[in-house]
Amino acid sequence: MTATDTSTGTIAPTTLAPKPRGGLAQSVHDSLVIARRNLIRMKRIPEIVVFGLIQPVMFVLLFAYVFGGSIAVDGSTDPKMFREFLMAGIFAQTVTFATAGSSAGIAEDMTKGLIDRFRSLPMDRGAVLTGRTIADLVQTTLTMVVLIIVALMVGWRIHNGIPKALAAIGLMLLLGYAFTWIGALIGLSVRTPEAATSAGLIWLFPLTFVSNAFAPTSGMPTWLQHIADWNPFSATVQAGRVLFGNPGVSQSDAWPMQHPVWASLFWSVLIIVVFRTLAVRKYRSATA
Amino acid sequence: MQDAIVAEGLVKTFGEVRALDGVDLNVPTGTVLGLLGPNGAGKTTTVRVLTTLLTPDSGRATVAGYDVLKHPDEVRRSIGLSGQFAAVDEYLTGRENLQMVGELYQMRGSAAKSRAQELLEWFNLAEAADRPAKTYSGGMRRRLDLAAALVVRPPVMFMDEPTTGLDPRNRLALWEVIQKLVADGTTLLLTTQYLEEADHLAHDIIVVDHGKVIARGTADQLKAQTGGERVEVVVHDRELIGTATEVLRGFSRDGVSVDKHTRRLTIPVQGGAKLLAEVIRELDARGIEIDDIGLRRPTLDDVFISLTGHHAEDADDDGDESGDGSGSAAEDTGSAAEGAAQTGKDDAR
Ligand SMILES: Nc1ncnc2c1ncn2[C@@H]1O[C@H](COP(=O)(O)OP(=O)(O)OP(=O)(O)O)[C@@H](O)[C@H]1O
Ligand SMILES: [Mg+2]
């Protein structure tokens, strides 16, 4: 055949695929490679991050000024009390709502040819999902920073010192991370990104509202109060209030309300273990 | 020589559709297999099964000596895949895409980086290397995808319609890449719609239709199966077709097929170029002016159409076109119908 000008180069000093690292080392490595890919995407599509910020900030302002004063906290209807009470709830809600983005993102990935490339590579099977959840965690952390600044501006305060406050934020981010695995499973279970956006959001409303996040549970019917007390989400909110030293800590006898830090940790780890297993299994069997 | 790719009795159904209906194939190490077939024949499905992307309902397959079902990870280490649709991340640059693939093949960061640079240059993408792939043209994306398949030099490669959407220059360049890979010992399974491409690159060819292998062999074997050489003459003057037919009859025991519409006469021959020269002299001696004359060998297109031409829609097409020439083809009955069908094909091209 006729030679073209490219014919002078060599295609390749032969480079065969190196031996797989195997095990945890490979899992971590591959997940970080994928996480970097997703972070680059975030950088190139800044709208995602920006809109991810607007919504929680709007929530802070709406709740603080619309409901502030109409809900009694520790027997007081002082709007300042309510704002201090509210923030732990808003923080926790923000990290969980971010999971809807994970659902949509993973569903979108699964519709693209790129997933075939990943699935034909000798890479760790869970890395595509783990990488995604890590990138989402980075985004959530960014959102949290902005949110804390806004919260401080509307009068929320930390009363128990920085280390405890950091522990509280850590628990919230861990909860958010755990929930991205539920989001991942949803994203893998529906076939279009559009469906994933709604499916990824719907379950979050009952989860975050049947809780102690926005109003004290004492006003709820007893049966609902039980659900709220054992809601994993409530445990993290309660832990936040305790660690930040905010008002409105639930006095319920339920174990998670008495030991919110342990309860929060327990729930988050349990969710990660269960849903990561399910999601990775689903990913492996999926044929995009 | 050992077979780098073996498939036995692959079956895959999607609901009602039997995408693969018992596909057997084998590709000896270091050779190229061209997988041909009409749209929906099952080419992509075959590639997806062999590259561990799809689990077959039944049948077995080994790639580079590993069972695709039992040892998918070993298979993945041994293969490079360029799928039918470019599998690149739109928001990553060309360079970032290639580096990512290199790292996922477990290359060191620095090795992945220099390999990416090499490939970008090789595939004429150096200038666009740092632009998101979203901004690439179709052909550029295709090339980036092929580069990704070559990040490591796996012993077995799969390319699903690699040159679809490439301009002629890039197509030739890719052919050359493929030939070099094969010269270095790579085994390649290639699907294509361009029969010329299979003719040029493939050692063996398999034609699939409706998920079944309907023919296999080298390009030459398949062509021989479809029919031998022919001499085709286009007579300038319509009035002289009769005379020309008489002349040609002297060269052929099997009769002359005539298409009055295009003034084309065809005879099957065995003598090759020598006989062609005789035909020309004889026609000249009788004062018959000709517009065109040539020795024609069946192309893979002929093979393809004669093998897969049984579809309802194709049959309709053939019907129309042979209808065109049928009035005139009655001239010589021997192979008139066949001649008309041939003419139909020529016109369609
Ligand atoms: N995921 C799927 N779900 C349902 N049907 C499918 C799926 N994948 C393939 N098919 C069907 O299987 C058959 C074979 O498809 P395949 O993609 O293998 O064809 P092909 O030979 O690659 O065709 P083309 O030349 O158009 O690329 C087609 O009828 C197709 O509709
Ligand atoms: Mg195809």
Side-chain angles (χ1 to χ4, degrees):
Chain A
M1 64 172 275
T2 37
T4 62
D5 54 337
T6 47
S7 63
T8 45
T10 57
I11 306 165
T14 308
T15 46
L16 282 174
K19 277 256 177 301
R21 292 153 223 252
L24 191 63
Q26 176 167 356
S27 183
V28 171
H29 168 268
D30 293 356
S31 300
L32 291 178
V33 172
I34 299 291
R36 195 175 62 216
R37 169 223 169 203
N38 284 307
L39 289 172
I40 293 173
R41 287 173 64 92
M42 260 175 220
K43 205 172 73 188
R44 305 238 161 98
I45 325 172
E47 302 91 284
I48 295 180
V49 179
V50 171
F51 283 106
L53 277 173
I54 290 175
Q55 189 241 356
V57 169
M58 217 158 61
F59 265 53
V60 171
L61 299 176
L62 286 175
F63 273 95
Y65 293 101
V66 176
F67 294 117
S70 57
I71 296 174
V73 174
D74 291 351
S76 156
T77 51
D78 181 357
K80 279 194 71 175
M81 281 283 267
F82 179 72
R83 277 175 221 162
E84 288 232 40
F85 163 82
L86 176 70
M87 284 315 153
I90 296 270
F91 292 159
Q93 194 208 28
T94 301
V95 297
T96 55
F97 268 57
T99 63
S102 315
S103 301
I106 284 172
E108 195 190 327
D109 271 355
M110 294 305 286
T111 63
K112 295 276 163 68
L114 186 63
I115 216 77
D116 273 358
R117 160 90 48 227
F118 288 148
R119 292 174 78 242
S120 75
L121 289 174
M123 61 186 282
D124 179 75
R125 297 283 86 189
V128 169
L129 300 178
T130 309
R132 170 105 223 167
T133 57
I134 293 172
D136 286 344
L137 181 61
V138 172
Q139 189 190 344
T140 313
T141 309
L142 206 82
T143 310
M144 273 296 262
V145 170
V146 174
L147 209 56
I148 287 169
I149 295 169
V150 175
L152 288 168
M153 288 183 337
V154 301
W156 171 76
R157 290 294 175 267
I158 292 165
H159 301 279
N160 286 346
I162 300 291
K164 280 193 178 173
L166 288 177
I169 291 161
L171 282 179
M172 306 238 167
L173 291 174
L174 183 66
L175 179 79
Y177 183 72
F179 275 30
T180 43
W181 282 107
I182 304 181
L185 184 64
I186 293 172
L188 290 167
S189 306
V190 297
R191 269 299 130 108
T192 68
E194 293 76 15
T197 311
S198 355
L201 211 52
I202 295 167
W203 63 284
L204 291 168
F205 284 99
L207 184 100
T208 54
F209 282 88
V210 182
S211 77
N212 57 357
F214 306 109
T217 53
S218 47
M220 296 178 184
T222 325
W223 63 272
L224 203 60
Q225 209 172 324
H226 283 308
I227 298 178
D229 282 348
W230 284 89
N231 184 344
F233 183 75
S234 297
T236 306
V237 174
Q238 176 91 338
R241 288 193 183 121
V242 169
L243 292 167
F244 289 134
N246 290 150
V249 171
S250 166
Q251 302 304 317
S252 161
D253 291 339
W255 184 82
M257 292 298 105
Q258 292 297 318
H259 308 90
V261 174
W262 290 114
S264 169
L265 268 177
F266 169 78
W267 277 123
S268 294
V269 171
L270 182 72
I271 291 170
I272 291 173
V273 170
V274 171
F275 283 89
R276 185 176 192 280
T277 310
L278 293 176
V280 170
R281 185 178 303 168
K282 185 108 197 157
Y283 171 81
R284 287 190 192 191
S285 66
T287 51
Chain B
M1 205 187 312
Q2 218 206 326
D3 289 335
I5 307 174
V6 181
E8 281 167 19
L10 294 182
V11 173
K12 179 74 195 179
T13 53
F14 296 104
E16 299 282 278
V17 182
R18 275 180 97 75
L20 297 183
D21 196 1
V23 168
D24 300 305
L25 59 83
N26 64 302
V27 190
T29 304
T31 69
V32 181
L33 176 74
L35 197 56
L36 302 181
N39 291 141
K43 302 182 296 293
T44 298
T45 308
T46 305
V47 170
R48 289 173 59 85
V49 168
L50 293 173
T51 53
T52 76
L53 297 177
L54 207 58
T55 311
D57 299 342
S58 65
R60 58 175 285 279
T62 59
V63 171
Y66 299 108
D67 189 302
V68 294
L69 294 173
K70 293 195 195 108
H71 303 288
D73 281 321
E74 276 80 1
V75 171
R76 291 181 192 119
R77 274 194 72 217
S78 316
I79 62 171
L81 165 66
S82 172
Q84 183 166 5
F85 304 102
V88 299
D89 192 312
E90 307 240 289
Y91 287 94
L92 263 53
T93 65
R95 189 188 305 281
E96 287 163 347
N97 265 293
L98 294 179
Q99 276 179 27
M100 174 177 72
V101 171
E103 286 172 18
L104 293 175
Y105 266 118
Q106 314 304 322
M107 286 166 82
R108 292 188 174 285
S110 55
K113 205 173 216 158
S114 57
R115 182 65 178 150
Q117 180 60 32
E118 256 169 35
L119 286 164
L120 288 164
E121 280 164 22
W122 179 257
F123 282 93
N124 290 328
L125 289 168
E127 273 169 46
D130 297 307
R131 268 174 22 207
K134 210 158 83 83
T135 67
Y136 285 16
S137 73
M140 288 164 79
R141 251 178 249 208
R142 186 80 241 184
R143 264 141 57 205
L144 181 60
D145 188 64
L146 286 158
L150 292 171
V151 165
V152 289
R153 287 280 311 281
V156 183
M157 307 252 348
F158 294 86
M159 297 189 182
D160 198 354
E161 301 195 20
T163 59
T164 301
L166 293 190
D167 63 34
R169 191 172 157 280
N170 280 306
R171 176 171 305 161
L172 289 182
L174 180 67
W175 283 7
E176 215 168 284
V177 170
I178 289 174
Q179 281 166 330
K180 286 193 177 166
L181 288 172
V182 174
D184 288 350
T186 308
T187 308
L188 172 66
L189 190 153
L190 165 95
T191 83
T192 182
Q193 298 288 354
Y194 302 104
L195 308 171
E196 184 197 356
E197 184 164 291
D199 208 353
H200 192 90
L201 295 173
H203 299 96
D204 284 304
I205 291 172
I206 280 187
V207 185
V208 289
D209 197 11
H210 297 297
K212 285 199 179 76
V213 176
I214 55 172
R216 66 180 85 214
T218 63
D220 287 340
Q221 284 166 351
L222 291 177
K223 286 176 196 168
Q225 212 172 303
T226 307
E229 289 177 332
R230 305 186 294 279
V231 166
E232 281 185 2
V233 181
V234 179
V235 179
H236 181 74
D237 197 341
R238 201 174 291 272
E239 267 77 70
L240 293 177
I241 288 179
T243 327
T245 307
E246 254 165 59
V247 172
L248 288 180
R249 200 173 279 144
F251 291 95
S252 160
R253 266 175 282 117
D254 300 327
V256 185
S257 48
V258 181
D259 184 343
K260 271 196 179 152
H261 194 67
T262 56
R263 307 184 307 280
R264 187 187 305 265
L265 289 70
T266 310
I267 50 166
V269 297
Q270 251 125 42
K274 189 165 168 291
L275 191 110
L276 181 65
E278 281 171 34
V279 173
I280 293 172
R281 275 197 293 274
E282 188 67 28
L283 288 169
D284 201 35
R286 297 279 210 105
I288 301 170
E289 198 182 335
I290 52 179
D291 281 350
D292 191 17
I293 186 161
L295 193 61
R296 194 158 169 239
R297 294 186 177 84
T299 62
L300 272 182
D301 288 85
D302 297 328
V303 174
F304 188 85
I305 289 167
S306 80
L307 283 170
T308 62
H310 57 268
H311 294 307
E313 46 185 274
D314 291 359
D316 278 358
D317 289 353
D318 282 358
D320 286 352
E321 280 158 24
S322 52
D324 240 339
S326 62
S328 51
E331 185 97 357
D332 197 315
T333 42
S335 55
E338 189 196 283
Q342 291 290 7
T343 310
K345 249 175 285 163
D346 293 346
D347 288 349
R349 278 156 31 97

